[in-house]
Amino acid sequence: MIKVSVMYPYTEDARFDHAYYRDTHMPLLKARMGDACKSYTIDKGLAGGAPGTPPAYVGMCHVFCESTEAFQAAFGPHAKEILGDIRNYTDIAPVMQISEVVVG
């Protein structure tokens, strides 16, 4: 099992529409990826580790798939549409990482 994490670094005055991300963008991703997306989670950053500090990431998602190949096969044909939707909820450039799920 792998996890594709897409993280949006906190930047003061950046725009991030959490409702759109939750209600429109991620359901779009799930619909396009179909069964290759086993599940996904969404995180909303609240604070950093020290009191009064901002979160490292304002938002992030984690998409779970059987393999990197399964993710790429399902995401690839729809990448233009999915990536094109980013401008509808944020002006932050995302950071992406693919990880092996060791314990889940």
Side-chain angles (χ1 to χ4, degrees):
M1 180 76 65
I2 60 110
K3 175 176 71 172
V4 179
S5 299
V6 182
M7 301 160 287
Y8 297 86
Y10 173 85
T11 304
E12 193 169 335
D13 298 326
R15 178 181 62 84
F16 195 94
D17 184 339
H18 287 278
Y20 185 95
Y21 191 61
R22 179 193 64 228
D23 299 336
T24 304
H25 183 75
M26 290 306 295
L28 168 70
L29 178 132
K30 173 63 175 152
R32 297 304 182 263
M33 289 188 64
D35 292 339
C37 173
K38 299 302 179 189
S39 66
Y40 67 84
T41 62
I42 299 171
D43 297 356
K44 181 177 181 178
L46 298 178
T53 61
Y57 299 100
V58 67
M60 62 181 79
C61 75
H62 307 284
V63 179
F64 296 86
C65 300
E66 286 299 324
S67 66
T68 302
E69 296 77 18
F71 169 77
Q72 291 170 338
F75 184 85
H78 308 287
K80 185 175 180 179
E81 178 185 15
I82 295 167
L83 296 175
D85 189 51
I86 292 173
R87 68 179 172 270
N88 292 320
Y89 62 89
T90 192
D91 52 8
I92 302 169
V95 175
M96 184 174 159
Q97 176 173 305
I98 299 176
S99 305
E100 178 183 2
V101 178
V102 179
V103 175

